Amino acid sequence: MTSGAPASETIAAPAALLPQELDLARLIVSVLSLEVAPEEIAPEAPLFNQGLGLDSIDALEIALAVSKTYDVKLRSDDERNHRIFASLRSLSAYIETHRAR
Amino acid sequence: MAPEATLPLTDRRPDSVICRRDGRAITAGALFAAAAALARRLPADGGAEGPAEGPAAAPRAINVCAGRDRMLVGFVAALLRGHATLLNADPAPERLRALAERHPGAYVLADAPVAGDPGLPVLQVPAVAPEAAAPGPLPRIPARRVVAIGFTSGSTGAPTEHRKPWEALVAAAQAAAERFGLDDPAAPASLVATVPPQHMYGFETTIMLPLWAPVAIQAGASFFPNDVLDALEGVPAPRVLVTTPLHLRALLAEGRAPALLAAVISATAPLGPGLAEAVERDWGAPMLEIYGATEAGSMASRRSLHEPDWLPYRGVGIGPDSARIPGLGEVALADLLEPQPDGRVRLLGRRADVIKLGGRRASLADLNRRLLEVEGVVDGAFVAPEDLAADPAARLMAFAVAPGRSAEAILAALRRTVEPLFLPRPLLLVPALPRDRLGKLSHPALAAMRHAAQKGG
């Protein structure tokens, strides 16, 4: 997916994503129609607000896609929830430890 | 001089269950005991206040509690002290400061630590002790006192306030209980809701309704599909799910059958026929919809699959572009409605320019203005997708003419003045907008650009 936007102002060279993080990044970009290349998502950057600028509607969409793709059910009564959603890396790590194989 | 009209605070019996958390029942008596204890700790009156607002110089409570039990405790505590509650869920320090600027003396009621320093008093609402005894007779509330203030935030940083007198909220709760058959004390319903209690729809259904109808609201987490499905399994029948099209879509897609439901109620946006049909067929529950607005509260309802038109609540009169609401008077609406011969009303659509996303409203003209205020943007326009009302996850897109600037930089600037919900996805840079000789952007021209952008990718 490309847009008319030149990427000239994207400064930082993103840290390398692990293969499972790249898969998750692709999933998120695709279900949310984000204007960012999956490879460009910084693994440690916040997903919500300042980072990718996601909101609670996106959280629902991500929960749904994660459930379908990885069979991992996200719940908000989980005390660690805000940490799970903190970054691509933390979400991916959570999925990897809980996914049905 | 006639004495000031008053209404009771509640019609619940102290031993009836008003709330459930983690499978534990909380009685109305225990909840009011917690509220009375909290009321004694609230800040003293003292700021400047107009005479029609309630007791002179009453400060306001910003109740950001996410748990519905604590939201209820905080709301009733403020009510007992004559303090109006500001219905704001956002605990960001800058938001709390902005509210306090408009409402000197305001304080925060929270059930989680508030990050940063909002610069105003923050009180943690304690958990309800289930064994606490009822506090004795509760005071009556002046019928015309403003007890809650709702916000229509739209796209701007300065939300419009909507003041709710006690009598209007009580009338709406009683009308809803009657409409949805939630008024039988012999068959108290369990409510599970996905709407925040600070949204007017959530406030009416999960805070006011339990005070005025024999229902018990579930207080634990109910946001992600599996939270909601677990919560439904944890409460006794009859169960009523109070939700939105967005959540319904996610719940149905989860593919896990919910516990037996007596009814599903949706509001905030029109429900597509597909969702209504799926709920009635797959869940075997009547799919009911509320028509409402923050300014007016809930006004009418329908059974989505069988009824194209809306039946006004008792006492509510709905005209072409306004409604007569008990306790509020005539309220202008953002929708166009057509009264039908059978007493129902048909929803024709929203008045020009106003769009609604995730239960929040924005004006396209206002969004465009904010886009043009971004440095380097010489022209630009937001475009709403055609399926905005039908697709709960739909987003706005925008075109911008901004030589030398990137979409990322413009988005970053927009993020400072526009709510994240209304940020364009995508924001596309174009050499020019298809304006006609009068400088107007026609709908067909914008639609053509949108289609080209979506196809071209």
Side-chain angles (χ1 to χ4, degrees):
Chain A
M1 190 174 63
T2 58
S3 75
S8 57
E9 291 188 30
T10 309
I11 327 151
L17 294 177
L18 301 170
Q20 64 268 30
E21 289 169 350
L22 184 57
D23 285 345
L24 180 62
R26 289 199 177 108
L27 181 71
I28 291 174
V29 165
S30 138
V31 296
L32 301 181
S33 313
L34 295 179
E35 277 297 290
V36 55
E39 303 78 22
E40 283 173 17
I41 297 180
E44 307 276 6
L47 288 173
F48 290 83
N49 304 320
Q50 282 320 300
L52 268 187
L54 305 188
D55 55 35
S56 64
I57 295 182
D58 298 317
L60 264 190
E61 292 294 308
I62 293 176
L64 198 56
V66 164
S67 167
K68 291 285 161 212
T69 311
Y70 302 102
D71 198 25
V72 172
K73 314 290 184 194
L74 297 166
R75 283 177 171 79
S76 55
D77 50 21
D78 193 320
E79 277 301 311
R80 298 156 299 170
N81 194 268
H82 66 281
R83 271 190 280 148
I84 296 168
F85 265 100
S87 67
L88 181 68
R89 182 148 287 166
S90 59
L91 182 59
S92 176
Y94 180 83
I95 291 168
E96 289 306 310
T97 42
H98 289 83
R99 67 187 292 187
R101 292 182 188 269
Chain B
M1 206 166 64
E4 192 179 16
T6 60
L7 288 167
L9 193 152
T10 180
D11 75 344
R12 298 301 301 270
R13 289 167 43 117
D15 60 349
S16 64
V17 177
I18 194 167
C19 183
R20 276 193 183 80
R21 176 181 276 279
D22 305 329
R24 264 197 352 215
I26 296 170
T27 63
L31 188 123
F32 295 139
L38 176 62
R40 288 190 286 274
R41 294 172 42 217
L42 297 183
D45 299 357
E49 194 72 56
E53 305 286 329
R60 265 141 193 189
I62 308 174
N63 194 329
V64 299
C65 292
R68 294 172 207 279
D69 46 356
R70 311 231 182 150
M71 172 79 186
L72 254 171
V73 168
F75 173 65
V76 173
L79 206 51
L80 289 170
R81 287 284 298 272
H83 302 171
T85 293
L86 303 180
L87 299 177
N88 163 69
D90 182 359
E94 53 272 30
R95 171 76 174 133
L96 297 175
R97 267 195 298 272
L99 283 170
E101 259 170 45
R102 295 188 58 129
H103 299 282
Y107 56 92
V108 179
L109 295 175
D111 58 357
V114 170
D117 179 18
L120 59 161
V122 177
L123 280 90
Q124 292 294 328
V125 178
V128 179
E131 63 284 354
L138 294 163
R140 293 173 66 90
I141 309 296
R144 300 211 53 76
R145 177 183 294 169
V146 171
V147 298
I149 297 175
F151 298 92
T152 40
S153 65
S155 48
T156 72
T160 308
E161 301 188 347
H162 304 282
R163 289 152 181 251
K164 304 294 176 176
W166 183 237
E167 62 178 333
L169 293 172
V170 171
Q174 289 176 319
E178 174 191 281
R179 172 60 51 85
F180 298 114
L182 298 173
D183 50 359
D184 181 4
S190 302
L191 263 54
V192 172
T194 66
V195 216
Q198 290 86 1
H199 188 282
M200 187 49 66
Y201 165 49
F203 179 73
E204 287 186 316
T205 48
T206 70
I207 302 298
M208 282 306 297
L209 202 54
L211 289 175
W212 280 91
V215 298
I217 182 72
Q218 185 266 351
S222 50
F223 181 77
F224 290 116
N226 283 287
D227 299 333
V228 180
L229 295 162
D230 291 351
L232 285 168
E233 279 166 11
V235 297
R239 304 176 187 87
V240 176
L241 173 62
V242 177
T243 188
T244 66
L246 182 74
H247 273 93
L248 270 179
R249 183 171 152 277
L251 281 163
L252 284 160
E254 186 58 44
R256 174 180 153 197
L260 184 67
L261 288 161
V264 179
I265 298 175
S266 174
T268 67
L271 196 59
L275 287 179
E277 205 183 310
V279 166
E280 297 246 359
R281 183 192 59 221
D282 299 345
W283 295 358
M287 179 68 243
L288 309 167
E289 247 182 302
I290 292 176
Y291 171 67
T294 298
E295 299 87 315
S298 295
M299 291 172 269
S301 72
R302 66 174 181 177
R303 185 162 176 180
S304 319
L305 201 52
H306 309 292
E307 301 167 353
D309 299 325
W310 303 83
L311 185 63
Y313 277 15
R314 177 163 46 85
V316 171
I318 304 181
D321 57 5
S322 68
R324 198 182 62 252
I325 309 291
L328 285 179
E330 199 75 19
V331 179
L333 300 176
D335 295 309
L336 288 173
L337 297 119
E338 184 181 66
Q340 304 294 303
D342 62 0
R344 290 181 176 249
V345 289
R346 185 160 298 173
L347 187 53
L348 298 179
R350 302 192 74 78
R351 287 217 298 266
D353 177 64
V354 179
I355 51 116
K356 208 171 172 189
L357 265 185
R360 316 283 285 259
R361 250 176 285 171
S363 146
L364 284 177
D366 179 63
L367 288 168
N368 290 342
R369 192 170 56 73
R370 281 160 199 278
L371 175 58
L372 291 172
E373 279 168 3
V374 173
E375 196 189 331
V377 174
V378 294
D379 199 0
F382 275 76
V383 184
E386 278 147 21
D387 59 354
L388 190 66
D391 176 3
R395 299 289 186 148
L396 301 178
M397 68 186 295
F399 295 100
V401 181
R405 296 221 74 186
S406 73
E408 290 87 348
I410 297 169
L411 268 178
L414 270 180
R415 195 164 289 145
R416 286 194 280 273
T417 62
V418 171
E419 273 198 64
L421 194 59
F422 299 111
L423 288 173
R425 285 192 196 170
L427 172 75
L428 297 180
L429 293 178
V430 290
L433 288 184
R435 293 193 182 272
D436 67 15
R437 269 178 298 179
L438 294 171
K440 278 188 166 298
L441 279 169
S442 74
H443 277 291
L446 278 174
M449 263 183 84
R450 193 186 66 229
H451 284 304
Q454 281 164 347
K455 252 208 307 274

